[in-house]
Amino acid sequence: MEYALTFEQYQEGLEKGKLLGLHCNTCETFTFPPMGTCRNCNGTDLKVAEAGGEGIISTFTVVRVAPEGKRPPYVVAMAELKEGPSVIGNLIDINPDEADMKLIGKSVKLGSQMVEGDVYSSDDCRVITFSLKEG
Ligand SMILES: [Zn+2]
């Protein structure tokens, strides 16, 4: 199977501040993060497309007991992108002790940060982060 967007290309995009996903030429759905097929119709006629980089927090949790190698507390959130898909990432730039239900529905800007490889993954990689938008 040939991928329209490889993991390496996706990672390079994140490094440059670009959120690369896939546009389906069959059903016009946007798939993010990228995968082998369209998230809606499983089609493979896909082309690389960039997400706008904004979303709305739909849910979150504060991690106080973290996996080995991670430093709690931190906030993991799910945000719905303007393009439709939901993605999970760390909500940064906030004090986890002040996280409350008012976060749900807030607008966030997507970014990325480098995470070192650990016992659960072999290499360093870039992951999605969220920052609250002002206002
Ligand atoms: Zn499709």
Side-chain angles (χ1 to χ4, degrees):
M1 177 173 186
E2 189 173 321
Y3 292 94
L5 179 60
T6 65
F7 181 73
E8 287 75 21
Q9 291 167 327
Y10 170 71
Q11 289 279 301
E12 285 169 18
L14 286 180
E15 199 172 336
K16 294 173 188 162
K18 291 182 178 186
L19 299 153
L20 300 179
L22 296 165
H23 174 86
C24 178
N25 292 321
T26 305
C27 75
E28 308 295 324
T29 297
F30 182 73
T31 295
F32 184 89
M35 52 189 84
T37 60
C38 170
R39 70 183 173 95
N40 182 52
C41 74
N42 289 326
T44 55
D45 184 8
L46 306 164
K47 69 178 176 202
V48 176
E50 190 177 340
E54 291 181 14
I56 304 285
I57 294 177
S58 50
T59 191
F60 73 96
T61 191
V62 179
V63 177
R64 296 189 188 281
V65 180
E68 183 182 344
K70 307 291 183 202
R71 285 189 303 274
Y74 55 90
V75 181
V76 177
M78 178 179 279
E80 186 178 331
L81 302 188
K82 287 201 168 157
E83 292 82 0
S86 289
V87 293
I88 291 175
N90 284 13
L91 179 61
I92 59 172
D93 300 334
I94 75 155
N95 179 347
D97 293 329
E98 292 172 5
D100 62 25
M101 297 307 277
K102 291 183 199 130
L103 285 174
I104 292 174
K106 294 258 189 193
S107 294
V108 288
K109 190 169 172 28
L110 276 70
S112 72
Q113 68 185 13
M114 190 62 97
V115 172
E116 288 179 20
D118 56 24
V119 294
Y120 309 105
S121 59
S122 56
D123 290 318
D124 297 355
C125 77
R126 230 164 229 291
V127 298
I128 297 287
T129 58
F130 306 120
S131 302
L132 290 175
K133 287 180 68 182
E134 297 301 315

